[in-house]
Amino acid sequence: EHDFEKDGLDLFVENGLLGARGTSLGGDNGIAVAMMLSLLSTDAHPALLTLMYRYVFKISGGPGLFTILQIALYALALTAFLSYLNKLGLSKKITSVVAILFSAHIVNGIYATVLWKDVLYTVALLWATLLFLKLSIEKKQFFSVSNIIQLSLCSAFIFLLRHNGIVVFAIILVVMAIAIIAFRSVKPLAVILTTLILVGVVKGPVYSSMDIENQSLSAPTALLHGIVYTCMESDFESELLESVVPMEVWYDMYEPYSTNSFAFSEPAIQNNINEKMNDLSTTVVVKEYLRAFANHPFLIIKDRLYGCNALWNSIVSGYNWRTGNDQYKIVVESNELDLYCRENAITRFVSNVY
């Protein structure tokens, strides 16, 4: 057994993949951060956060300052949200209780302190949500210089910190286009132009000066999880999945589920799944996902909720098999906080409705 307090990583390379015996070595942990700091040639894993790591680590000599900045940003987003709700009439007692509960929740403490791209991505989403709340209330008066700058920065960060952020990015731009017509104002156009300029500068001159190659969008292969789950739990059939490998192989990779099962599990390696998935057309994958959703929406929703349920739900209420594989148990199950991968009220509700 691996003693995380005493033992170093026992690394090995198998089939061209780096692993560690007795641990759940993955792509978002310390070894990946170390690799990012030394190797960065493409934007395949969004490069902006890596550049931020580099410069902050260089200034502070370690990750401590970055963690402090993350906590501050996370707290700032919550404070701004509650302050605005208070301004709208929500009592200070209620906002204070919410702030205390939010701050004391162990999951938020873990989330704000780990080095993970989703932390800053979440902060940008929270801030954008606050700005959209303001827009829905203030309407045309919303478009002050300050709000235009804030929404432009949020939109750019959402796009640059995660590849699937392009969906939210597109929604924001569409809403701004609608606002131009609804409010008969060109001010929303400033958000569109400023956002596009910011993204263009980062992915253009900034990346070019550092020899970072822009990565074209690949097929959203994470959607295949939902399609496989739909096939497993219903009469839904997918010619797309069958064209890659037989369904039995997909089932072997999905159950028991792991966060990298479609790329690094033994069946995936044996069948060269990763390369085959990357060859799929984005349009084809999205169409198949939407077809699965149209036929069995609750299964698709349930699959997505399971994916959010690995560490973020600390309420003990039954075991969630989807992410409770052997690799993940080492990190999530065996700890003093009893943070199992759990079913929660939402997933049970969806199951009952289905």
Side-chain angles (χ1 to χ4, degrees), residues 135 139-141 143 174-188:
L135 173 61
K139 301 190 182 327
K140 190 175 181 179
Q141 285 68 40
F143 291 97
V174 168
V175 171
M176 290 301 102
I178 294 173
I180 293 173
I181 299 171
F183 301 142
R184 297 180 181 179
S185 170
V186 296
K187 289 184 177 181

Side-chain angles (χ1 to χ4, degrees), residues 241-266:
L241 295 180
E242 289 276 11
S243 69
V244 179
V245 291
M247 290 306 301
E248 294 77 20
V249 178
W250 288 111
Y251 296 162
D252 286 344
M253 288 187 291
Y254 191 98
E255 188 176 11
Y257 181 90
S258 74
T259 51
N260 291 316
S261 61
F262 284 10
F264 303 131
S265 65
E266 187 173 337

Side-chain angles (χ1 to χ4, degrees), residues 12-56:
F12 66 91
V13 176
E14 183 177 342
N15 297 317
L17 301 173
L18 178 66
R21 295 178 182 84
T23 78
S24 59
L25 177 68
D28 287 317
N29 57 21
I31 192 70
V33 172
M35 291 167 64
M36 285 193 299
L37 294 177
S38 60
L39 300 171
L40 182 62
S41 58
T42 76
D43 193 29
H45 190 294
L48 179 63
L49 184 61
T50 302
L51 295 176
M52 294 165 69
Y53 281 162
R54 281 185 175 181
Y55 289 110
V56 174

Side-chain angles (χ1 to χ4, degrees), residues 261-325:
S261 61
F262 284 10
F264 303 131
S265 65
E266 187 173 337
I269 295 171
Q270 290 174 349
N271 292 275
N272 199 23
I273 293 293
N274 204 35
E275 186 174 331
K276 291 178 180 178
M277 289 195 304
N278 288 332
D279 289 337
L280 295 174
S281 162
T282 298
T283 303
V284 170
V285 174
V286 171
K287 282 184 177 179
E288 188 72 349
Y289 189 78
L290 293 176
R291 190 171 75 88
F293 181 81
N295 282 273
H296 298 280
F298 290 112
L299 288 178
I300 292 293
I301 293 170
K302 190 175 178 183
D303 173 82
R304 299 309 297 169
L305 289 172
Y306 280 153
C308 298
N309 208 11
L311 185 58
W312 317 130
N313 176 29
S314 59
I315 300 173
V316 179
S317 60
Y319 182 68
N320 178 352
W321 56 269
R322 187 178 192 263
T323 45
N325 59 80

Side-chain angles (χ1 to χ4, degrees), residues 165-226:
I166 190 173
V167 177
V168 181
F169 176 80
I171 291 173
I172 292 174
L173 297 189
V174 168
V175 171
M176 290 301 102
I178 294 173
I180 293 173
I181 299 171
F183 301 142
R184 297 180 181 179
S185 170
V186 296
K187 289 184 177 181
L189 181 62
V191 175
I192 298 175
L193 294 177
T194 305
T195 301
L196 293 176
I197 290 170
L198 287 171
V199 171
V201 169
V202 173
K203 293 182 75 68
V206 173
Y207 283 1
S208 296
S209 66
M210 298 180 178
D211 296 323
I212 298 172
E213 178 185 346
N214 275 304
Q215 186 83 0
S216 59
L217 286 174
S218 57
T221 51
L223 300 182
L224 296 176
H225 283 284

